[in-house]
Every structure is written in structure tokens, then in C-alpha cells.
Amino acid sequence: MNADESVIGRIETEVALLMRFGEATRRAIPVEAHRSLDRAAYVILRHLDEAGPQNVSALAARLNLDGSTVTRQVGAMERDGLIAREADPSDGRGTVVSATEAGLRRMSVVRGARAEVYEEMLADWSDHDRAELATLLARLNEALSARSRARRRS
């Protein structure tokens, strides 16, 4: 095995562990805020909060999910009062979804609870190391997203 393969192997292992520990941490923390939204609803609400109202196709594309998956999630979230559907102002035949005030409040509570966990876990990290981690995770997520988009197009 050459040095590059060794580094890629380490990355693969660390990402696998990150996903496993992240989910285990979320489930193990006995704070209701962490459990008040499932992962999909949280991600959808975060995106709607940042990007504004979206049609389901745009949401699916941004989140690298199948449209039918997002449609089911949006339906459940609408029943829970977390999002609302309304006519698309640019095309009256379509609809857009937007976060409701209740959805934004729940998302904010979850976001704050998660931030507390990460603040505690990274308390002894320097500001530089925290910033570097954020930058590298954003790059990794963008690479994963680009790969997923490319695979869907082919």
C-alpha cells in the first residue's frame, strides 16, 4: 500500500466513525431538544431557513435526495405544522414549501442544543483548529454533494 492509499484509508475510516459517533451522540443525549426533530426534518428546515421557500424539486436537488423521498418528508412535516405549502408565485400551477414559525422555533431549539454539544466537545480546541475543521467539513460535504449530483445525471 502506498502513502496515498494509506491516507485515503484513514479518511474512509474516520468518516465512517464520524457518521457512527454522530448518530450515537444524537441518540444518547437525554435532552428532548435533540429528539424533537428527525434528521431529515432538521436538514430541510435548516435549508428553508437559509434559502427561503422552495419547490420540492429544488429541495430534492439541494439535498441530493429523490423527489418522492422529499415529497413524503414534506407531507409529514406539513401534517406536523413545521412547513406550509403555497402556490408558486412564479408558476401558479406549482407549489413551494416554506418553514412555519413553529418549524423555525423547533429547528432553532435543536440547533442550539447541538451547538452546546459541539461547544463542549471542542472546548479545548483552538479557534484556528475549529475554523479549519469547519472549512474542511464544508469542502468534504461539497465534494460529496457534487459526486451525488454527477451520479444522478449519468
Side-chain angles (χ1 to χ4, degrees):
M1 178 181 316
N2 68 35
D4 287 342
E5 289 171 346
S6 175
V7 170
I8 294 299
R10 285 179 50 212
I11 291 169
E12 185 279 327
T13 298
E14 295 303 329
V15 168
L17 288 170
L18 175 67
M19 292 178 357
R20 170 68 184 100
F21 288 140
E23 182 60 22
T25 298
R26 186 188 68 80
R27 284 192 322 265
I29 296 173
V31 176
E32 186 56 35
H34 290 283
R35 296 189 182 112
S36 69
L37 285 175
D38 67 32
R39 184 175 38 224
Y42 178 74
V43 170
I44 289 171
L45 287 167
R46 286 287 306 263
H47 178 67
L48 291 173
D49 186 36
E50 293 171 9
Q54 305 270 299
N55 65 38
V56 170
S57 297
L59 261 176
R62 173 62 181 103
L63 301 174
N64 293 307
L65 294 170
D66 182 72
S68 63
T69 300
V70 174
T71 297
R72 282 191 305 277
Q73 291 169 335
V74 163
M77 292 172 69
E78 185 177 30
R79 285 188 296 279
D80 290 343
L82 302 174
I83 61 166
R85 291 182 204 239
E86 49 197 42
D88 186 336
S90 65
D91 176 6
R93 297 170 297 176
T95 61
V96 294
V97 294
S98 58
T100 63
E101 285 302 314
L104 291 175
R105 278 192 305 274
R106 280 194 34 207
M107 184 268 303
S108 181
V109 167
V110 172
R111 186 177 188 181
R114 289 179 177 190
E116 285 178 21
V117 169
Y118 286 106
E119 179 66 37
E120 179 185 315
M121 286 190 301
L122 302 173
D124 63 344
W125 288 40
S126 70
D127 290 344
H128 172 78
D129 285 350
R130 288 179 182 203
E132 187 69 16
L133 176 62
T135 298
L136 293 173
L137 287 171
R139 283 180 62 192
L140 177 61
N141 281 325
E142 181 50 41
L144 290 166
S145 179
R147 184 173 194 279
S148 181
R149 287 190 305 268
R151 291 181 69 98
R152 274 201 318 272
R153 285 193 295 264
S154 58

